[in-house]
Amino acid sequence: MKYYIKLIIVSLSIVLFSCTSKEKSKDNITQKNKLIVGIVVDQMRYDYLTRFDTKYGNGGFKRLINNGFSLENAHFNYIPTYTAVGHTSVYTGTTPNNHGIIGNNWYDKFEKKSIYCVDDNNYKTVGNEGDGGKKSPYRMLTTTVTDQLRLAQNMKGKTIGIGIKDRSAILPAGHTANAAYWFDGGSKGEWISSSFYMDKLPKWVLDFNSSGKVDAYLNEPWKTLYDINTYTESIADDNEFENTFKGEDRPVFPHDIPNLRSKNNNYSIIKAIPAGNSLTTDFAKAAIIGENLGQNEYTDFLTVSYSSTDYVGHQFGVDSKEIEDTYLRLDKELESLLIFLDEKIGKNNYSIFLTADHAAVQVPSYLKSVKIPANYLSSVKFLKYVNEITKKYFKAEDFVENISNFQIFLNKENIEKKNLTVKKVAEVISENVINYNGIYKSITATTLQNTQFNNGILRSLQNGYNQKYSGDVLLIPNPSTIIYSKKGSTHGSGYSYDTHVPIIFYGNGILKGKSKEYHEIIDIAPTISNLLKIESPNGSTGKIIHKALK
């Protein structure tokens, strides 16, 4: 009898264990995502998450961090840290030496002129009669994670790119996007696209453009979200390190946008205030509804770039009350977007990643005022200095064709006329230009082609060097040394203040947690690819962040 009782107990235990295991297994199964949302915040330093932490609500940045996976030590691993390069690297999972986008603008040594990353005269503007839509992603040489998702689903899922800046909408959406939309300012004040994607704007975009939302935002002055006296994380509002809007005497709150817009290129002023981010959120929501994203059997991808943060940072700088207010308001925008996604897509049906395209340096003139080494370089004086080198060693002042993005492009024809080689001239310039005040390192293209740098800032420079497109001598300035006005700030270097940015994964298939380990921005694309169980972009060199995934 006892034997049979034991047998029954054991059998019941096995059944119960089996059921429990199945339930646990069921809980660990990640269902297919209906929508992926990639969010890139333009010019967001990592420390904006910690610096303004006490003023953020629980539904924006904190919701993503507390319920997602946050990388606290994530960096860009290349130079230069510019907008187009950042967006491309995030979505391709590789660096400029592979994907070919080496700047926002760069000198084309074949066409002998400066070019813009997404200009393409083969296409026309869709939305108005201007030239703002003559764009495409053709200069980007590799695929994006958005491309790979489209390919994996036999071009059935949708990809939509959105950003106030054209490059921030076009490059993330990839070559196969259904659409990319950006904001045309000036006298236009409307969202447009390119004939690369479509022949005419869909009705939902036309409706949005005629809704009056832009004017409604511009009819309000820019005041601080909270009492300005509580903005203790920033320096004084009235200081000498910030630029003003045209028509202002001092860079202080409130900014009278209704009266300033006419002096600041009319509708374009919305790019430079937090309302530009609000407009972007509104348009992203309209896109989800208008394109029916996340409502079918295929996975859709929406790329969203918040660009007003960059305009504000350039104008007012990292330590300004304007940048603080912009991020406190962005926190509200993220909360609004997340609530919208919960309602329209479903809490367990979407995943998000949030990162930045670069960070920013504190205003060097401010740093100098508190006795921190910082400096400004003059591009005119520097060109004169380089010409003096070639005059001294080669009796020639026409060897330099262009200097831009801290790269020197040499004139091959003029050098060969002197029976010299570009390699020899580049070596002499590199050896001597290091003596220029403010230049920390100089290196030739030949050295970058023949030497492997495995760490340090020269590794970053090498990752950003593209043999076909980059210059003949590449330069690294001293820390906090820029070519810019003495008010406001910029970015572009390989130093931590430009490279350290947030990476947060959130949503379906993402574990809760954080990591203090070093990670690179190029790890995002292969991680999202693995989440979606698709092939990584064809030039990807990043690694899967497996600890972020269920």
Side-chain angles (χ1 to χ4, degrees):
M1 186 69 179
K2 288 182 181 179
Y3 171 79
Y4 290 110
I5 292 172
K6 285 182 180 179
L7 187 61
I8 291 169
I9 291 171
V10 171
S11 299
L12 286 171
S13 299
I14 292 170
V15 170
L16 288 170
F17 177 78
S18 177
C19 291
T20 304
S21 297
K22 285 180 180 178
E23 285 300 315
K24 285 183 178 180
S25 178
K26 191 176 179 181
D27 290 341
N28 287 331
I29 292 173
T30 301
Q31 64 189 61
K32 184 177 179 180
N33 272 296
K34 292 184 176 181
L35 179 67
I36 303 295
V37 182
I39 299 174
V40 177
V41 183
D42 204 325
Q43 202 188 119
M44 183 176 182
R45 291 163 56 110
Y46 174 80
D47 63 1
Y48 290 157
L49 287 178
T50 55
R51 184 171 144 205
F52 308 133
D53 175 74
T54 58
K55 291 186 172 63
Y56 289 141
N58 292 320
F61 286 118
K62 285 185 178 179
R63 176 177 168 182
L64 295 176
I65 293 170
N66 294 336
N67 296 287
F69 198 92
S70 177
L71 304 179
E72 299 178 349
N73 190 24
H75 289 262
F76 284 90
N77 62 331
Y78 62 80
I79 299 171
T81 43
Y82 295 139
T83 295
V85 196
H87 281 78
T88 305
S89 299
V90 166
Y91 283 89
T92 62
T94 193
T95 45
N97 58 327
N98 292 315
H99 61 58
I101 301 296
I102 64 170
N104 295 331
N105 302 274
W106 65 88
Y107 182 73
D108 189 310
K109 47 194 179 184
F110 304 102
E111 296 185 24
K112 305 293 183 184
K113 65 178 184 180
S114 180
I115 58 173
Y116 179 59
C117 57
V118 292
D119 274 351
D120 191 342
N121 288 325
N122 292 310
Y123 299 97
K124 297 178 181 179
T125 303
V126 174
N128 61 44
E129 299 301 315
D131 293 332
K134 295 180 177 180
K135 314 289 179 184
S136 86
Y138 86 97
R139 295 187 192 277
M140 181 169 60
L141 303 178
T142 61
T143 63
T144 58
V145 62
T146 48
D147 285 324
Q148 295 300 146
L149 180 59
R150 290 271 285 155
L151 290 168
Q153 300 179 117
N154 293 319
M155 312 302 284
K156 295 294 176 65
K158 285 187 178 181
T159 293
I160 307 293
I162 292 171
I164 278 184
K165 295 179 181 178
D166 49 24
R167 57 187 180 270
S168 303
I170 293 169
L171 296 168
H175 303 276
T176 61
N178 299 85
Y181 301 101
W182 52 95
F183 186 74
D184 200 1
S187 61
K188 305 291 195 304
E190 56 197 7
W191 292 84
I192 63 172
S193 190
S194 163
S195 59
F196 176 83
Y197 305 101
M198 65 192 75
D199 296 324
K200 61 181 181 179
L201 293 179
K203 184 178 182 299
W204 70 265
V205 178
L206 295 173
D207 290 344
F208 190 96
N209 284 337
S210 61
S211 67
K213 281 183 177 289
V214 184
D215 283 303
Y217 281 125
L218 295 182
N219 285 335
E220 297 290 333
W222 178 12
K223 300 177 182 179
T224 54
L225 182 63
Y226 306 118
D227 182 350
I228 194 170
N229 294 314
T230 67
Y231 285 24
T232 53
E233 295 79 12
S234 310
I235 61 176
D237 191 30
D238 193 359
N239 64 73
E240 60 184 314
F241 311 113
E242 300 173 13
N243 282 304
T244 61
F245 288 108
K246 292 178 181 178
E248 285 185 326
D249 294 325
R250 300 296 299 167
V252 297
F253 279 106
H255 298 284
D256 189 0
I257 302 305
N259 289 320
L260 291 171
R261 62 182 289 187
S262 63
K263 297 178 182 178
N264 293 269
N265 200 18
N266 198 2
Y267 286 107
S268 291
I269 197 172
I270 199 169
K271 300 177 183 181
I273 60 177
N277 289 333
S278 301
L279 184 69
T280 302
T281 303
D282 293 341
F283 194 75
K285 292 176 181 177
I288 291 171
I289 295 172
E291 297 290 344
N292 208 33
L293 299 182
Q295 303 301 320
N296 55 57
E297 61 185 296
Y298 301 102
T299 302
D300 298 322
F301 208 127
L302 177 67
T303 75
V304 181
S305 180
Y306 285 107
S307 301
S308 293
T309 44
D310 185 65
Y311 289 97
V312 174
H314 278 293
Q315 183 167 341
F316 297 100
V318 168
D319 297 288
S320 65
K321 298 206 183 296
E322 282 79 3
I323 205 73
E324 178 168 358
D325 192 67
T326 298
Y327 275 90
L328 296 182
R329 290 178 180 276
L330 177 60
D331 184 55
K332 299 291 187 185
E333 294 302 323
L334 292 173
E335 181 176 4
S336 173
L337 181 61
L338 288 168
I339 292 171
F340 180 86
L341 290 169
D342 291 343
E343 294 173 350
K344 297 296 180 181
I345 311 300
K347 284 188 176 182
N348 299 315
N349 294 325
Y350 68 89
S351 294
I352 288 175
F353 69 81
L354 181 146
T355 189
D357 57 347
H358 53 74
V361 63
Q362 291 170 282
V363 180
S365 57
Y366 167 67
L367 293 177
K368 291 176 75 173
S369 76
V370 293
K371 301 180 180 179
I372 292 175
N375 203 357
Y376 294 90
L377 295 181
S378 164
S379 55
V380 174
K381 290 180 180 178
F382 184 71
L383 172 60
K384 183 180 179 182
Y385 185 84
V386 177
N387 283 334
E388 287 173 354
I389 293 172
T390 60
K391 183 179 180 181
K392 176 181 177 181
Y393 288 93
F394 306 112
K395 295 182 173 56
E397 294 182 84
D398 59 356
F399 281 4
V400 177
E401 199 163 84
N402 178 270
I403 299 179
S404 55
N405 298 336
F406 286 100
Q407 297 184 34
I408 300 173
F409 294 82
L410 299 178
N411 188 305
K412 183 178 179 180
E413 291 78 14
N414 290 344
I415 289 171
E416 289 179 346
K417 287 177 184 177
K418 292 269 190 178
N419 294 318
L420 296 166
T421 63
V422 169
K423 179 182 177 182
K424 175 62 179 176
V425 174
E427 286 173 350
V428 171
I429 291 175
S430 180
E431 288 170 2
N432 287 273
V433 80
I434 194 69
N435 298 317
Y436 191 82
N437 185 32
I439 297 298
Y440 173 54
K441 288 183 181 293
S442 65
I443 193 168
T444 67
T446 302
T447 301
L448 289 174
Q449 292 168 28
N450 294 292
T451 306
Q452 183 65 42
F453 296 98
N454 295 317
N455 52 58
I457 202 162
L458 287 178
R459 173 179 178 261
S460 296
L461 189 68
Q462 191 164 51
N463 285 337
Y465 169 75
N466 187 290
Q467 183 177 356
K468 189 169 184 176
Y469 302 122
S470 297
D472 301 292
V473 179
L474 290 85
L475 312 165
I476 297 175
N478 288 340
S480 301
T481 298
I482 60 176
I483 298 176
Y484 203 69
S485 68
K486 294 187 178 180
K487 294 185 177 184
S489 194
T490 193
H491 48 86
S493 79
Y495 295 111
S496 182
Y497 53 74
D498 277 336
T499 67
H500 188 196
V501 297
I503 297 180
I504 307 170
F505 297 98
Y506 171 90
N508 182 36
I510 305 299
L511 289 172
K512 293 181 184 180
K514 62 181 66 174
S515 172
K516 299 181 187 299
E517 294 178 19
Y518 174 83
H519 287 278
E520 296 177 339
I521 204 77
I522 60 173
D523 295 341
I524 294 174
T527 301
I528 294 297
S529 297
N530 187 259
L531 172 69
L532 296 172
K533 295 179 171 54
I534 61 173
E535 184 61 40
S536 291
N538 62 13
S540 178
T541 51
K543 299 177 181 177
I544 297 169
I545 306 170
H546 57 85
K547 56 195 166 189
L549 303 177
K550 287 183 180 178

